[in-house]
């Protein structure tokens, strides 16, 4: 797989694409980053044409997501066409609408895997997050049906304040059902830039617990080892921040192309321009590709430089795609107990602000951030 | 050796030509395979209805200086190997369903 990725990078091939088929959804999850109105989704014919273009561009991994993909009446036509073009197809769904016939059809189409959002082992907690009564029961039933038809299934367990302590039981439920389990401890801003939902992020102590759990992160000792310092200059010039815009990208239901679903930098629209032209010639994607670790302001010299999981999309949403992503700084701190250069800088800035501006001035940091770096200094 | 054997691409695989190399992912266990040139030729011609002997004659013997009997024997060994990995079907009769799949569109070779 690594060789395949390296080859795709060398040849400039978009190996993986996430295509959101709709933003409409039958759930109204409290942490969702999407607006659920339909602003003019691509038609079936447009999507078939796009799939032809993606196949010709060399896309191997195709993630079909949403919104809730089963709200598209043409979903199976799309999946069938994608499989005819021999994509490795992964579906992301809440599984609420999956019953016997649909599970059977997904299995017959040779879908690589289905990722299902599960928030808790407790129906009342799950349903309170999705705001859809009965969703937990139906989601788990959907997962069972897929599994019994031989489909590879995994649970995606996004953690937030509402369900922060439930993940061991969700993990146990996944094991009982014989499905995979992934935990995601990051609530991301809404695609329109609204950051209010970030308040739902779990507390630093809970994040630290997640990162020190070997059943979730692999070798916790290694994962949480002290940072090994900034990248060497030569490595920094060669190291890419992530695959977004390099070997992967995202296409919205309206045909907008972005480097990644978490990196809403408008880079073109497939209704106006052929996908390959956007991929090869979009100034925005070229700009993303031009960034190396050495260019990252405040990150290239950070002690976490060689092990940071910095997301350029989150940095972009924070205001600067070459800057730090505070959420990732928080993660690095939760893993290692060592504050990043960015958190230290913010600490210094806050300290300078406080005496002059008084207690009533809003800090650039949330209370949570303040707690993190203060703890680091003690 | 049975000259009337047929080969068909397994229905649950994913495949794409990347940089001149056919990459195939098994539907059974997600293992990834990279096919060499001749294996790629067989894979792409594996429509389930054209006899293996005919594929070899058309696509291998025509382009490579090899006698038909040797080429067919090698091709059948290769097909058996791919079948063991679950990415190709090898049958004594045509597998017409396999024709539902189009030829894999080649990816461009360079950016």
């Amino acid at each position: 797989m690594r060789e395949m990725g390296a080859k795709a990078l060398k040849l400039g091939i978009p190996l993986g694409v996430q295509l959101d088929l709709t933003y409409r959804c039958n759930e109204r999850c409290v942490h969702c980053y999407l607006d659920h109105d339909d602003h003019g989704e691509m038609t079936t014919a447009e999507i078939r044409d796009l799939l032809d273009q993606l196949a010709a561009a060399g896309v191997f991994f195709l993630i079909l997501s949403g919104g809730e993909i089963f709200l598209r009446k043409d979903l199976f036509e799309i999946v069938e066409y994608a499989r005819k073009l021999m994509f490795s197809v992964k579906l992301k769904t809440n599984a609420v609408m999956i019953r016997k016939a649909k599970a059977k059809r997904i299995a017959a189409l040779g879908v690589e895997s289905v990722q299902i959002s599960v928030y808790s082992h407790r129906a009342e907690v799950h349903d309170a997050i999705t705001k859809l009564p009965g969703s937990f029961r139906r989601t788990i039933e959907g997962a069972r049906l897929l599994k019994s038809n031989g489909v590879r299934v995994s649970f995606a367990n996004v953690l937030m304040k509402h369900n922060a302590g439930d993940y061991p039981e969700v993990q146990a439920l996944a094991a009982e059902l014989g499905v995979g389990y992934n935990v995601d401890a990051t609530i991301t801003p809404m695609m329109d830039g609204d950051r209010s939902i970030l308040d739902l992020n779990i507390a630093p102590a809970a994040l630290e617990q997640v990162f020190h759990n070997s059943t979730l992160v692999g070798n916790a000792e290694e994962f949480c080892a002290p940072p090994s310092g900034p990248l060497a200059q030569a490595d920094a010039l060669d190291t890419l921040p992530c695959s977004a815009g390099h070997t992967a990208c995202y296409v919205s239901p309206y045909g907008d192309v972005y480097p990644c679903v978490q990196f809403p930098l408008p880079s073109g629209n497939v209704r106006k321009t052929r996908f390959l032209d956007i991929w090869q010639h979009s100034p925005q994607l070229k700009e993303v590709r031009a960034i190396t670790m050495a260019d990252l302001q405040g990150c290239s010299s950070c002690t976490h430089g060689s092990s940071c999981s910095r997301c350029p999309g989150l940095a972009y949403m924070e205001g600067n795609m070459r800057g730090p992503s505070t959420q990732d700084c928080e993660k690095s701190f939760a893993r290692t107990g060592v504050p990043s250069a960015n958190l230290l800088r913010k600490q210094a800035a806050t300290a300078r602000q406080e005496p002059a501006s008084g207690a009533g001035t809003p800090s650039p940091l949330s209370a949570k951030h303040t707690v993190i770096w203060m703890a680091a200094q003690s | 050796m049975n000259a009337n054997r047929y080969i068909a691409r397994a229905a649950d695989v994913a495949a794409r030509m990347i940089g001149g190399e056919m990459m195939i992912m098994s539907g059974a266990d997600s293992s990834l395979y990279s096919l060499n040139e001749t294996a790629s030729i067989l894979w792409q011609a594996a429509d389930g209805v054209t006899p293996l002997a005919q594929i070899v004659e058309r696509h291998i013997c025509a382009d490579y200086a090899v006698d038909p009997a040797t080429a067919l024997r090698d091709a059948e060994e290769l097909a058996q190997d791919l079948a063991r990995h679950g990415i190709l079907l090898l049958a004594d009769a045509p597998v017409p369903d396999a024709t539902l799949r189009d030829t894999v569109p080649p990816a461009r070779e360079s950016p």
Side-chain angles (χ1 to χ4, degrees), chain A residues 6-23:
Chain A
K7 184 178 239 184
L9 182 65
K10 190 175 162 203
L11 298 173
I13 289 174
L15 201 56
V17 167
Q18 175 167 330
L19 169 60
D20 277 3
L21 297 173
T22 181
Y23 285 161

Side-chain angles (χ1 to χ4, degrees), chain A residues 223-242:
Chain A
F223 188 71
C224 298
S228 52
L231 276 173
Q233 183 66 12
D235 292 339
L237 285 167
D238 284 345
T239 306
L240 301 170
C242 81

Side-chain angles (χ1 to χ4, degrees), chain A residues 231-298:
Chain A
L231 276 173
Q233 183 66 12
D235 292 339
L237 285 167
D238 284 345
T239 306
L240 301 170
C242 81
S243 65
H246 292 273
T247 57
C249 72
Y250 166 74
V251 185
S252 82
Y254 316 122
D256 295 311
V257 177
Y258 301 103
C260 168
V261 66
Q262 282 192 174
F263 195 161
L265 170 68
S267 305
N269 186 291
V270 294
R271 281 172 156 160
K272 295 176 189 154
T273 313
R274 304 287 293 170
F275 173 79
L276 198 53
D277 285 338
I278 296 171
W279 178 256
Q280 290 179 333
H281 305 303
S282 148
Q284 294 82 9
L285 291 179
K286 281 184 177 176
E287 188 186 356
V288 169
R289 286 178 198 136
I291 301 172
T292 68
M293 290 296 285
D295 301 320
L296 301 182
Q297 295 150 13

